[in-house]
Amino acid sequence: MTGSLCRKGEACTEKQKMAVKKTEGPLVVVAGPGAGKTRVLVERVAYLVKRRGVSPENILVITFTEKAAGELKARLIKCVGLDAELMQISTIHSFCSKVLRDHPEEHELGGGFEILDEESQLIFLRTVFYKIGLNRYMKMGEVHRAIEFFNRCTENCIEPGELIDALRRKYPDREKYQGIAGCYARYLELLREQKKIDFPGLEKEVYLLLNSSERVLESVRKRYRYIMIDEYQDTSPIQELIFRKIAGKNSSICVVGDEDQSIYGFRGATPENFIRFREEYDAEVVTLEDNFRSRAGIVLTADSFMRGERHYEKTIKPVRDGGTDVVILKSRDVNSEARNIVSLIKKLKATGKIPEYGYIALLFRSVRNHADKVLAELRREGIPYIVRGDGSFLKRYEVRSMLYFLAYVDPPDYGGKFSKWNGWWNISRFRGEFLDLTGETLRALESLDRNCRLSDFTSRGELEEIGVHGEDAEKILGLNRIRHEVGEGSLTVLKTFYRILEVTGYLRRLIEDGSDSSRAKIFNLAKLSSLIDRYEAIKPGARIQDLLWYLYLLPSHLHHDEAALEDPASVKIMTVHQAKGLEFPVVFICSVINGRFPVKRRKGRDIIPIPRELLLSPGEVPDEDRQA
């Protein structure tokens, strides 16, 4: 064991020390689960700065998520101080953005471009849906399928012209294929015209720039002499090409990953990049096999399960003794599975195996589609839980109420297409805490003729005549005044949102209450305001009905989760993907049914097939004529 550079009194294992001190030339760190790979990255950066005297500005660390980048930078600040701020520690997309902004004169975008993340890209494509002609080939609600296709084309550096030519040769009778390829061309044109770029476009532009400009390539190579890439098993072919181009033949590049943990194939990632790295770079390999996280039963079971499927030889060894073997709960059907799971949870708590329900995590392939029976059983038994991954944001009372009152002040006409949203246009929405009307007012409203339009009331006298008085009358009049202002075009959607909160007093009452439940509602309203702000930024001049239409057609994978305050006494429920990198004392992997674990890959997901000769394979360099 060797002393840590960042934590006094702690030590690194011999294998960790090897990974830290091998700073020249290519290196593969095969890091099994719980093997301390983040610690190795922190110690390695600290070693470069403190022992080797490397300038922080010469260090590039790529992580898979912004959260991981933030956590890594926070740990490095504690270890090396503010020198960590001079390093490039970011996702691949943030890195690509920096390269483009550092060299604005070398590409068409210049320095003032806007980056569209996944949700912003969807908003943008919806706004240009008719302009690029997609309406001839699909419905608005299918736009996310066009995005998947467009992104795949961009990630493979496929130019629209060559795509159309290849489709014409291979499918001469499929005019739809060529038409959608034409929509892709117009989509790219509009992005360029409006100085916007999506995530795949960032990667493509940087890769082409590095190939077309020797000056930019040398500048990037000179600056980032020490490169470290986390989660390399989840990189895509074009990302691997970017890293290979930057690294060159003589730089120090270290990739950290584990082929066992490759879970992002649906996003175009491939573990082949990680598997081939050793041969491609003639790299040294350091394998971290000690698992510090789980007890022996779990580690040995997982290792046995994966053995025989690996290209890098390793045997995961538990550092912690004791623990129990993995328990298999066999059930007849999903109903009995739910009962068995909850019964065991209760037993663990009753026997003192766990002090709180919060020690337990339930993981699903899809919370939205597979967790309903277990959630119902937890509720029946009175066991508290917190859910992530169920896309429940739009189902929250405070969110639905706000959207209703947005529609009240600017009534949309969608020909009954909002029938799924449980009859929002009913006076019953005036009940409840959002308006907090008195019982007397509610009885007065309920006694109104069904054809009476509440929005026609413009004075306190008119409302007092029907039995609505005081603050309640002011709330209704305030909503009607907002309705008038919206009709005149003097309010944006976001301003309307804030005016409704002001007139109803709902936000003030939540703040005054201060309970965890009220705080969660405030967070959800804040999330809705942020969503509205982003929508209006992409679509200036948007109306309320545009926003409602967007939310109505939002694809399920982009549904937001509701805000949930952390509660140590509640069972944690989430997807397997969301649990990556987290730790829990007791974990249930639920709904392990054939076709879900492992999931069956659906064939033919692309709206049109992309000819194989146009696709980038791992390690394949595009033809020169595809870089123009």
Side-chain angles (χ1 to χ4, degrees):
M1 303 284 279
T2 303
S4 166
L5 289 173
C6 296
R7 294 185 177 183
K8 291 182 179 180
E10 295 189 12
C12 297
T13 67
E14 288 303 311
K15 289 292 185 71
Q16 289 175 338
K17 181 183 74 171
M18 290 172 60
V20 168
K21 293 190 173 182
K22 164 64 178 172
T23 58
E24 299 300 326
L27 174 67
V28 179
V29 178
V30 181
K37 69 178 179 66
T38 304
R39 179 178 185 178
V40 166
L41 285 171
V42 172
E43 295 283 346
R44 183 180 169 87
V45 172
Y47 182 78
L48 286 169
V49 175
K50 290 185 173 182
R51 295 288 188 268
R52 294 288 311 281
V54 171
S55 170
E57 295 180 341
N58 292 143
I59 295 173
L60 169 65
V61 184
I62 297 293
T63 63
F64 195 76
T65 65
E66 292 181 0
K67 179 181 177 183
E71 291 174 351
L72 185 61
K73 180 172 285 188
R75 290 176 65 169
L76 279 167
I77 288 174
K78 291 181 179 179
C79 184
V80 301
L82 294 180
D83 278 348
E85 296 288 356
L86 302 176
M87 305 170 191
Q88 180 67 26
I89 304 171
S90 68
T91 63
I92 178 64
H93 298 124
S94 294
F95 169 69
C96 287
S97 172
K98 178 170 175 55
V99 171
L100 293 178
R101 295 188 194 280
D102 284 349
H103 304 278
E105 72 286 354
E106 297 285 351
H107 54 87
E108 293 181 356
L109 288 167
F113 57 86
E114 178 186 354
I115 300 171
L116 302 181
D117 62 13
E118 188 176 14
E119 189 170 36
S120 297
Q121 184 186 21
L122 176 64
I123 296 172
F124 177 79
L125 194 52
R126 290 249 177 101
T127 63
V128 301
F129 180 73
Y130 295 98
K131 192 170 185 177
I132 67 176
L134 265 178
N135 58 301
R136 294 195 290 270
Y137 308 106
M138 64 180 60
K139 297 178 181 179
M140 181 74 82
E142 298 175 308
V143 164
H144 63 283
R145 298 189 64 209
I147 288 177
E148 291 173 2
F149 171 71
F150 290 178
N151 287 352
R152 194 164 178 230
C153 289
T154 304
E155 288 166 353
N156 283 277
C157 296
I158 300 173
E159 295 300 327
E162 66 175 343
L163 175 61
I164 293 172
D165 290 343
L167 291 171
R168 188 177 290 124
R169 288 193 304 270
K170 195 164 186 177
Y171 307 101
D173 299 325
R174 301 290 183 93
E175 293 184 6
K176 177 181 177 180
Y177 290 179
Q178 299 163 37
I180 293 177
C183 293
Y184 173 55
R186 290 188 285 277
Y187 166 74
L188 294 180
E189 289 171 3
L190 288 175
L191 284 178
R192 283 193 293 269
E193 288 175 8
Q194 298 185 31
K195 293 285 187 177
K196 292 179 169 61
I197 190 167
D198 53 34
F199 277 172
L202 280 173
E203 296 172 354
K204 176 185 174 183
E205 286 298 321
V206 167
Y207 177 70
L208 297 181
L209 180 60
L210 294 174
N211 277 274
S212 63
S213 173
E214 193 66 28
R215 191 182 73 83
V216 173
L217 178 60
E218 286 306 311
S219 172
V220 172
R221 283 180 174 174
K222 183 178 180 180
R223 173 159 189 178
Y224 303 115
R225 294 180 49 231
Y226 294 89
I227 304 169
M228 283 157 272
I229 306 160
D230 193 13
E231 305 287 9
Y232 201 73
Q233 78 281 351
D234 287 324
T235 55
S236 67
I238 192 170
Q239 291 169 359
E240 193 271 342
L241 291 172
I242 291 172
F243 297 136
R244 180 192 297 187
K245 199 71 181 176
I246 295 172
K249 294 181 179 180
N250 302 315
S251 69
S252 169
I253 178 170
C254 168
V255 302
V256 181
D258 182 13
E259 58 191 296
D260 294 358
Q261 302 182 58
S262 179
I263 61 173
Y264 287 98
F266 66 95
R267 291 183 177 174
T270 170
E272 288 298 317
N273 295 335
F274 185 66
I275 292 167
R276 293 167 48 133
F277 188 91
R278 174 173 49 188
E279 287 74 26
E280 292 283 341
Y281 288 82
D282 190 23
E284 185 175 332
V285 178
V286 174
T287 305
L288 306 181
E289 297 178 310
D290 292 334
N291 181 292
F292 297 90
R293 180 181 299 155
S294 303
R295 294 191 181 275
I298 295 172
V299 173
L300 296 176
T301 299
D303 190 57
S304 174
F305 181 79
M306 293 303 301
R307 194 174 297 134
E309 302 294 329
R310 297 164 173 156
H311 292 78
Y312 288 99
E313 292 184 9
K314 67 173 181 283
T315 300
I316 306 301
K317 305 167 187 175
V319 173
R320 300 172 64 192
D321 294 326
T324 60
D325 292 331
V326 173
V327 175
I328 298 177
L329 287 177
K330 290 187 177 181
S331 306
R332 295 189 310 274
D333 52 37
V334 292
N335 292 307
S336 62
E337 178 194 42
R339 289 192 294 270
N340 290 338
I341 289 172
V342 175
S343 175
L344 181 54
I345 289 174
K346 289 177 63 180
K347 187 175 181 180
L348 289 170
K349 179 74 161 55
T351 58
K353 296 291 185 182
I354 56 171
E356 298 285 354
Y357 287 122
Y359 279 58
I360 294 176
L362 306 184
L363 309 184
F364 292 85
R365 178 71 179 81
S366 167
V367 173
R368 186 182 298 111
N369 298 321
H370 305 155
D372 56 329
K373 301 295 184 184
V374 175
L375 296 180
E377 188 67 16
L378 287 170
R379 287 193 296 270
R380 193 178 72 82
E381 293 292 339
I383 297 176
Y385 61 84
I386 295 174
V387 183
R388 293 173 57 191
D390 63 343
S392 58
F393 175 68
L394 292 176
K395 298 177 183 177
R396 289 281 302 196
Y397 166 81
E398 62 275 13
V399 174
R400 292 177 72 111
S401 295
M402 173 55 77
L403 293 177
Y404 169 78
F405 284 106
L406 282 170
Y408 174 82
V409 299
D410 187 19
D413 179 14
Y414 288 129
K417 291 181 180 177
F418 276 86
S419 58
K420 286 184 182 179
W421 288 28
N422 299 327
W424 272 19
W425 322 127
N426 194 297
I427 198 68
S428 64
R429 276 291 161 182
F430 283 76
R431 301 190 189 99
E433 64 177 33
F434 197 91
L435 280 183
D436 194 31
L437 301 177
T438 65
E440 179 185 1
T441 296
L442 291 173
R443 287 190 293 274
L445 295 179
E446 289 165 357
S447 67
L448 291 173
D449 185 272
R450 292 184 62 181
N451 296 320
C452 178
R453 291 167 55 91
L454 192 61
S455 57
D456 289 340
F457 290 86
T458 58
S459 70
R460 290 192 63 158
E462 292 174 324
L463 286 171
E464 288 173 353
E465 285 183 10
I466 65 170
V468 179
H469 306 276
E471 289 186 8
D472 289 356
E474 284 303 318
K475 291 173 186 176
I476 293 173
L477 290 175
L479 289 172
N480 290 346
R481 283 192 290 270
I482 296 172
R483 185 183 178 111
H484 177 72
E485 293 175 49
V486 170
E488 290 185 332
S490 58
L491 292 179
T492 64
V493 180
L494 188 59
K495 286 182 179 179
T496 305
F497 170 93
Y498 288 125
R499 291 273 279 113
I500 290 173
L501 287 179
E502 178 186 359
V503 164
T504 62
Y506 185 51
L507 179 60
R508 173 180 51 79
R509 291 193 298 276
L510 292 176
I511 293 173
E512 289 173 352
D513 180 70
S515 65
D516 285 349
S517 174
S518 291
R519 289 170 60 207
K521 291 171 184 176
I522 292 171
F523 288 144
N524 283 315
L525 289 170
K527 182 180 287 190
L528 180 59
S529 71
S530 177
L531 191 155
I532 294 171
D533 184 49
R534 295 180 66 192
Y535 185 82
E536 290 192 294
I538 301 295
K539 188 175 182 179
R543 293 185 57 189
I544 289 171
Q545 64 180 16
D546 298 326
L547 172 72
L548 296 180
W549 187 233
Y550 167 74
L551 295 175
Y552 179 69
L553 294 176
L554 198 65
S556 60
H557 73 279
L558 283 180
H559 281 197
H560 295 269
D561 291 339
E562 62 182 83
L565 301 179
E566 285 301 317
D567 180 6
S570 297
V571 173
K572 310 300 187 291
I573 299 170
M574 65 191 71
T575 66
V576 173
H577 283 80
Q578 289 172 322
K580 186 173 173 62
L582 302 179
E583 297 182 12
F584 304 97
V586 180
V587 176
F588 288 73
I589 302 177
C590 306
S591 198
V592 181
I593 298 172
N594 189 30
R596 292 183 184 173
F597 278 103
V599 65
K600 287 184 178 178
R601 296 295 178 189
R602 290 182 293 169
K603 296 182 180 180
R605 293 183 66 189
D606 287 332
I607 51 177
I608 62 176
I610 300 177
R612 291 184 61 84
E613 65 269 18
L614 299 183
L615 297 176
L616 292 179
S617 299
E620 178 185 70
V621 180
D623 297 333
E624 288 297 320
D625 61 357
R626 292 176 58 190
Q627 299 174 18

